[in-house]
Amino acid sequence: DGGITQSPKYLFRKEGQNVTLSCEQNLNHDAMYWYRQDPGQGLRLIYYSQIVNDFQKGDIAEGYSVSREKKESFPLTVTSAQKNPTAFYLCASSLQETQYFGPGTRLLVL
Amino acid sequence: SQQGEEDPQALSIQEGENATMNCSYKTSINNLQWYRQNSGRGLVHLILIRSNEREKHSGRLRVTLDTSKKSSSLLITASRAADTASYFCATGGVYSSASKIIFGSGTRLSIRP
């Protein structure tokens, strides 16, 4: 059963805490992406990676970090420097132009 | 940076009617895609149209692209309740990586029974 999985579905962050969102794909795609979506808004690119061990900042990278040690995995860490982290986070992967999305993680601040 | 802007922001129609959404963009593109998002879910790819194409069909979907006006439209014919969702256009730039696309802010479509 091929696809992209994200976990957890809901995540709660305390003040000053770093949290990591998981994204795994078994589609054998080279490129992976992280987007942030605020209520009623479109998607904004946080980070993307076109190949293992390489990644680039998107439009809103401040307060976030990523790693790409394996082709299948692209975890996103929301650091304490991100002052407004409450949002819906979407991971995607692609071979060429078309992107395939995971189900998303909703991050809430306690 | 937001490339595509959808219009209208929200659209409510009766089941069975056709729904038309528009997308305008600012810079030259290689391709334009349309995605659907059901509430609280990930996006699903619907259709891709390249800059040298003018019209494309997929089932009840018809997409047009006018590069001279920098605009695209998505037509959903004979709408169904299951079409209720947000629809986003996404553009792939001429000078950016083939895999990097920019999403618009979306049209929220509601189908009334």
Side-chain angles (χ1 to χ4, degrees):
Chain A
D1 194 18
I4 302 182
T5 57
Q6 290 185 242
S7 62
K9 188 171 181 178
Y10 296 95
L11 186 57
F12 297 91
R13 193 190 91 162
K14 294 180 183 177
E15 199 77 38
Q17 187 182 37
N18 292 355
V19 292
T20 297
L21 285 62
S22 168
C23 177
E24 304 276 330
Q25 55 102 357
N26 61 4
L27 300 169
N28 201 32
H29 288 170
D30 286 317
M32 296 186 75
Y33 314 81
W34 274 106
Y35 294 93
R36 171 180 171 140
Q37 186 178 33
D38 292 285
Q41 302 295 314
L43 278 64
R44 291 186 290 168
L45 183 64
I46 304 172
Y47 269 98
Y48 65 106
S49 166
Q50 293 180 294
I51 200 165
V52 175
N53 292 323
D54 187 48
F55 48 84
Q56 287 82 40
K57 292 182 179 179
D59 300 315
I60 55 165
E62 188 175 345
Y64 300 97
S65 66
V66 293
S67 63
R68 187 86 188 276
E69 296 175 5
K70 297 187 300 181
K71 190 175 187 177
E72 302 79 22
S73 179
F74 191 39
L76 173 75
T77 296
V78 183
T79 74
S80 56
Q82 173 50 244
K83 297 306 178 191
N84 183 23
T86 297
F88 189 49
Y89 290 87
L90 286 160
C91 178
S93 71
S94 72
L95 265 179
Q96 295 181 357
E97 302 98 338
T98 298
Q99 295 190 8
Y100 297 83
F101 284 81
T105 292
R106 192 166 298 280
L107 178 60
L108 300 162
V109 177
L110 293 176
Chain B
S1 57
Q2 206 133 35
Q3 162 79 308
E5 290 295 331
E6 285 90 340
D7 171 61
Q9 288 188 326
L11 179 62
S12 178
I13 61 173
Q14 204 75 32
E15 192 168 10
E17 292 180 338
N18 296 343
T20 299
M21 289 157 266
N22 303 295
C23 171
S24 58
Y25 57 91
K26 299 186 179 94
T27 60
S28 295
I29 61 170
N30 267 330
N31 61 79
L32 187 145
Q33 302 178 59
W34 285 91
Y35 288 79
R36 184 186 74 227
Q37 183 182 32
N38 290 89
S39 182
R41 310 288 291 273
L43 278 70
V44 174
H45 178 256
L46 295 175
I47 197 163
L48 179 151
I49 187 166
R50 301 198 180 278
S51 59
N52 61 352
E53 297 175 305
R54 291 296 165 258
E55 188 170 311
K56 208 160 180 180
H57 297 253
S58 176
R60 293 184 297 114
L61 306 180
R62 175 179 156 240
V63 169
T64 61
L65 179 64
D66 187 336
T67 52
S68 66
K69 294 182 179 176
K70 291 188 168 60
S71 69
S72 173
S73 68
L74 171 67
L75 168 69
I76 303 174
T77 60
S79 62
R80 304 168 182 169
D83 295 328
T84 294
S86 291
Y87 291 82
F88 296 90
C89 68
T91 52
V94 171
Y95 301 108
S96 61
S97 155
S99 60
K100 187 181 175 191
I101 59 177
I102 302 175
F103 287 85
S105 51
T107 292
R108 290 187 305 282
L109 175 64
S110 297
I111 308 298
R112 302 189 303 270

